Amino acid sequence: MTADSAMSFLIPLPVVLALLGAGVCLALGQNARAQRVISFTTLSIIVAVAGVLLWAADRDGPQVVYVGGWPARMGIVLVADRLSALLLLVSAIVTLCVLAYSVGQGIIEFGRDTPLSVFYPTFLVLSAGVSNAFLSGDLFNLYVGFEILLAASYVLITLGGTGPRVRAGTTYVVVSVLSSMVFLIAIAGVYAATGTVNMADLAVKLQEVPEGVRIVLQLMLLTAFSIKAAVFPLSAWLPDSYPTAPAPVTAVFAGLLTKVGVYAIMRVQTLLFPDSPLSDLLLWAALLTMFVGILGAIAQSDIKRMLSFTLVSHIGYMMFGVAVASDLGLAGAIFYIVHHITIQTTLFLVTGLIEIRGGSTSLEHLGGLAKAAPVLALMFFLPAMNLSGIPPFSGFLGKVALVQAGVDRAGWLSYLVVAASILTSLLTLYAVAKTWNRAFWRPRTEEPDELTESVPSSGTKSGEPWGDTVATSVRSLPRAMVTPTLTLVALGTALTLLAGPLFGITERAAEELRDRDPYIETVLNDGSVAGSIVPRGSGGAE
């Protein structure tokens, strides 16, 4: 492969290392300790690589590598700009924390009969797919990234083989295959119209395509990505699919998979279809996603389903920023993506702890947890308030930026979405306050059965995949699960303290998205064609 800048050789590593780690883990079979070490080592290196790539992209602009040495217009291109590098870093950190949590929950959730050898390699494959999607510089490789992460998610969502998980997994698979088919058809249409799938090349060539054809291609791509991102009215599958999966699986799905869809929408809208005539359609989608999602959330009596509906609802905030498409709107949307990845993942991990401590996630069977488990109560309270947008948390700061961008855009529809975003924030507060009151604050009316599960002890032996176990009541919380959850709670809180530098990065990322020229020039200037640099201002957003 050939590189365009000093740090470009690092770009493929998040994908390559994760796939190599998955292969080694699979080859090790039932050696749980070796699999665990390899998985943690691999994801830790990916976190470091993502941090370096973000630093390089922020300092020097987009980093590009041409896989196989092929010219940009013919081969696979991987690109790390500020947006992709930032999301790569956040996703890698969250994935590492979820992996640590899953180690603690493994026996509690899956039992002795589940093949542990499957989890670690599948989890690394999922990480590879997410990384490839963020770094992809062409539509077909973006499709490949989606398929890699979806193939892994099919295994993870049905892990354990229970009836509800298989049924939910079936729905998830059918919807995912449908969205992939729409995406593939859209790619075929794009290639037929332009002769390329490289996104930098498409940014130039799509301007020469008749407007009617361009709108049809845009609608097809938006439909495919909206299914993956759970944008209303294509979001009905999510609340029925995610809650049945094991807690760490649900957490990583909620935190990352929908955001990959949002990222794809943001990348395509800003790079391929600037100044789109479909901005009003996106505003309607944002409004309905916010409002319908939160109405579903307040009607739930189960914490997992409530969080699944809030997940759908808050995708609407990100779509709001994409639809406004100003520097402030895009910066607010990127900031909110970072915030939501961290907070939503944390809340699902905390819900897994609630299920262990209280024996259920149903609000009808919970109560008194604030007194019985004050640390657990704090772990839920902080991210829940952050999700609600209570000042001065990062959720509030992101929403203020989006509201300001909506007001600056002006127009009755923009003002309507601004009002809907404020109302959605208040209803989110109501939903989480109801959960807090019933699960943590009110006295428990009945004691749970003294269920016992097996959790890993500290002395897991090589060759004994499940190691020694100790019996514990549902009243106990495994330290291996509490530590990574506390880490994410601290990270979510730290986003408030680091909001200034973080918003500075998101502002620079938004400016880079709006001024497409640096991205296009860097990717297409591969030296394969004389004068291949795109002139400054060609097709760029004004």
Side-chain angles (χ1 to χ4, degrees):
M1 61 184 67
T2 59
D4 188 73
S5 58
M7 293 297 174
S8 294
F9 72 95
L10 295 174
I11 297 175
L13 291 185
V15 182
V16 174
L17 289 178
L19 292 177
L20 286 176
V24 174
C25 285
L26 196 60
L28 289 173
Q30 295 295 313
N31 192 333
R33 178 175 294 179
Q35 288 185 329
R36 190 176 303 123
V37 169
I38 290 170
S39 300
F40 276 107
T41 302
T42 299
L43 290 179
S44 298
I45 294 174
I46 291 174
V47 170
V49 169
V52 174
L53 286 176
L54 177 58
W55 171 77
D58 194 37
R59 185 191 66 172
D60 301 326
Q63 309 292 300
V64 181
V65 64
Y66 307 98
V67 178
W70 289 94
R73 295 172 174 86
M74 297 177 62
I76 296 174
V77 179
L78 299 178
V79 186
D81 61 354
R82 290 184 179 92
L83 172 61
S84 57
L86 176 62
L87 296 187
L88 180 66
L89 176 61
V90 176
S91 67
I93 293 172
V94 166
T95 304
L96 182 60
C97 290
V98 173
L99 179 66
Y101 182 98
S102 69
V103 171
Q105 189 170 5
I107 294 176
I108 293 174
E109 183 67 49
F110 306 138
R112 286 181 174 271
D113 295 331
T114 300
L116 181 63
S117 60
V118 171
F119 179 77
Y120 289 107
T122 306
F123 197 79
L124 289 176
V125 169
L126 181 75
S127 173
V130 171
S131 300
N132 190 61
F134 285 145
L135 295 171
S136 178
D138 67 81
L139 286 179
F140 188 77
N141 194 43
L142 178 60
Y143 170 81
V144 171
F146 272 117
E147 292 307 297
I148 292 173
L149 69 89
L150 288 174
S153 67
Y154 298 156
V155 177
L156 294 174
I157 202 169
T158 57
L159 203 60
T162 63
R165 288 179 187 171
V166 172
R167 286 191 294 273
T170 301
T171 302
Y172 177 78
V173 169
V174 170
V175 172
S176 298
V177 169
L178 176 62
S179 66
S180 296
M181 288 177 60
V182 174
F183 188 15
L184 196 58
I185 294 171
I187 292 173
V190 168
Y191 187 78
T194 63
T196 184
V197 292
N198 180 280
M199 285 192 278
D201 204 16
L202 283 171
V204 178
K205 292 184 177 179
L206 277 172
Q207 308 309 311
E208 304 168 3
V209 175
E211 184 178 9
V213 175
R214 193 162 63 243
I215 290 177
V216 170
L217 296 176
Q218 183 182 5
L219 282 172
M220 292 180 68
L221 289 171
L222 283 176
T223 299
F225 298 147
S226 295
I227 295 174
K228 298 179 186 298
V231 176
F232 185 85
L234 305 173
S235 57
W237 60 271
L238 191 150
D240 291 327
S241 298
Y242 282 11
T244 61
V249 174
T250 304
V252 78
F253 281 18
L256 296 181
L257 298 198
T258 51
K259 309 312 181 299
V260 177
V262 174
Y263 165 81
I265 293 174
M266 182 178 291
R267 177 68 72 188
V268 165
Q269 284 297 111
T270 56
L271 185 59
L272 305 188
F273 306 103
D275 304 317
S276 168
L278 300 181
S279 60
D280 283 354
L281 177 63
L282 292 177
L283 282 173
W284 279 112
L287 187 153
L288 293 173
T289 302
M290 288 182 198
F291 202 62
V292 173
I294 201 59
L295 289 180
I298 62 178
Q300 302 306 310
S301 61
D302 182 271
I303 302 177
K304 288 182 179 179
R305 287 188 61 83
M306 183 274 291
L307 290 176
S308 295
F309 275 100
T310 60
L311 168 61
V312 172
S313 177
H314 286 243
I315 294 295
Y317 286 99
M318 304 165 209
M319 293 299 299
F320 184 20
V322 174
V324 171
S326 64
D327 286 347
L328 182 58
L330 290 171
I334 298 168
F335 185 93
Y336 205 82
I337 290 172
V338 173
H339 149 81
H340 201 256
I341 288 174
T342 308
I343 298 305
Q344 197 77 42
T345 303
T346 305
L347 284 170
F348 273 105
L349 294 185
V350 174
T351 302
L353 296 176
I354 291 173
E355 188 168 16
I356 294 171
R357 183 61 181 83
S360 174
T361 57
S362 172
L363 297 178
E364 303 298 327
H365 301 101
L366 292 172
L369 288 176
K371 180 179 180 180
V375 175
L376 179 59
L378 182 64
M379 286 194 291
F380 180 85
F381 181 81
L382 289 176
M385 293 299 101
N386 204 335
L387 183 70
S388 304
I390 299 298
F393 288 115
S394 58
F396 170 76
L397 300 175
K399 289 171 183 175
V400 166
L402 292 169
V403 167
Q404 182 62 55
V407 171
D408 292 344
R409 185 182 188 273
W412 69 270
L413 181 55
S414 184
Y415 292 143
L416 182 62
V417 182
V418 167
S421 68
I422 296 172
L423 179 59
T424 298
S425 188
L426 294 174
L427 291 176
T428 302
L429 177 60
Y430 170 76
V432 297
K434 182 182 75 171
T435 300
W436 170 266
N437 179 62
R438 297 177 67 178
F440 291 90
W441 195 249
R442 71 172 183 179
R444 183 154 193 165
T445 56
E446 59 182 9
E447 291 296 321
D449 296 334
E450 292 295 316
L451 302 176
T452 60
E453 303 285 355
S454 294
V455 295
S457 71
S458 59
T460 304
K461 299 177 181 178
S462 177
E464 297 181 7
W466 295 108
D468 299 329
T469 62
V470 292
T472 182
S473 157
V474 291
R475 298 173 180 277
S476 302
L477 295 178
R479 185 177 299 176
M481 297 170 66
V482 172
T483 301
T485 307
L486 280 173
T487 300
L488 282 180
V489 171
L491 178 61
T493 306
L495 290 179
T496 302
L497 303 177
L498 301 174
L502 176 58
F503 205 84
I505 294 175
T506 64
E507 284 183 316
R508 294 191 291 275
E511 292 169 1
E512 192 173 53
L513 288 175
R514 291 257 297 160
D515 180 14
R516 307 177 303 160
D517 294 337
Y519 184 100
I520 297 171
E521 292 177 7
T522 304
V523 172
L524 296 186
N525 187 25
D526 56 9
S528 61
V529 181
S532 62
I533 299 179
V534 179
R536 178 68 71 169
S538 62
E542 297 296 333

